[in-house]
Amino acid sequence: MASSPSLRFRGRREVHQVISHGRRFRHELGRIAWGRVPDIRGARVLFVVSTAVAKRSTDRNRIRRQLLEAFRRQWRLEPFPVAAVVSVDRAVAGFPSRKRNLLAAGLARRLSVLASRP
């Protein structure tokens, strides 16, 4: 089992480094910036849900928690060394929680494949 189950970034410097130097792609959840890390213990993920997505902080936090937990469940099945920052799109707020969970798990699988490529 991996020794970093929380998958949390340790500060703004790490987030900025992934955003400025990482690779990017679009996903149904939003814009993803990601990069490989040397070890699974360095795996990180951050879901950014802005006020444009949901005005109320409780709604933003709920979306963030749901996405993170679905991503974390998939990551624990097969850990991979990736740091990712996900800027969630406005449309995601209207999705049912089940669809959000499936999208987050699908994102984890896609990042796993991308991380395993040379």
Side-chain angles (χ1 to χ4, degrees), residues 46-98:
L46 174 68
F47 289 95
V48 179
V49 183
S50 70
T51 55
V53 174
K55 293 292 181 196
R56 296 174 55 201
S57 62
T58 54
D59 295 337
R60 292 192 304 272
N61 291 336
R62 180 181 296 117
I63 293 168
R64 194 177 297 117
R65 282 193 312 269
Q66 288 173 347
L67 292 173
L68 181 60
E69 187 54 35
F71 187 95
R72 189 181 294 144
R73 263 190 246 117
Q74 186 65 36
W75 185 84
R76 284 184 179 153
L77 293 175
E78 185 181 337
F80 51 91
V82 166
V85 177
V86 181
S87 297
V88 177
D89 277 346
R90 198 177 271 176
V92 175
F95 293 165
S97 60
R98 183 178 176 111

Side-chain angles (χ1 to χ4, degrees), residues 2-118:
S3 61
S4 176
S6 72
L7 296 175
R8 289 185 177 204
F9 277 91
R10 302 289 188 253
R12 289 182 184 204
R13 179 178 284 169
E14 287 184 359
V15 175
H16 180 56
Q17 189 166 4
V18 170
I19 291 171
S20 61
H21 300 295
R23 297 176 181 171
R24 294 181 179 90
F25 66 91
R26 293 276 308 157
H27 187 266
E28 218 175 331
L29 284 175
R31 294 181 316 258
I32 291 55
W34 70 281
R36 285 189 191 94
V37 291
D39 189 9
I40 288 183
R41 289 181 300 231
R44 311 268 190 264
V45 66
L46 174 68
F47 289 95
V48 179
V49 183
S50 70
T51 55
V53 174
K55 293 292 181 196
R56 296 174 55 201
S57 62
T58 54
D59 295 337
R60 292 192 304 272
N61 291 336
R62 180 181 296 117
I63 293 168
R64 194 177 297 117
R65 282 193 312 269
Q66 288 173 347
L67 292 173
L68 181 60
E69 187 54 35
F71 187 95
R72 189 181 294 144
R73 263 190 246 117
Q74 186 65 36
W75 185 84
R76 284 184 179 153
L77 293 175
E78 185 181 337
F80 51 91
V82 166
V85 177
V86 181
S87 297
V88 177
D89 277 346
R90 198 177 271 176
V92 175
F95 293 165
S97 60
R98 183 178 176 111
K99 183 174 182 177
R100 284 195 292 255
N101 292 344
L102 290 173
L103 289 173
L107 174 63
R109 286 190 296 275
R110 183 168 178 188
L111 285 171
S112 173
V113 169
L114 290 173
S116 64
R117 291 183 184 166

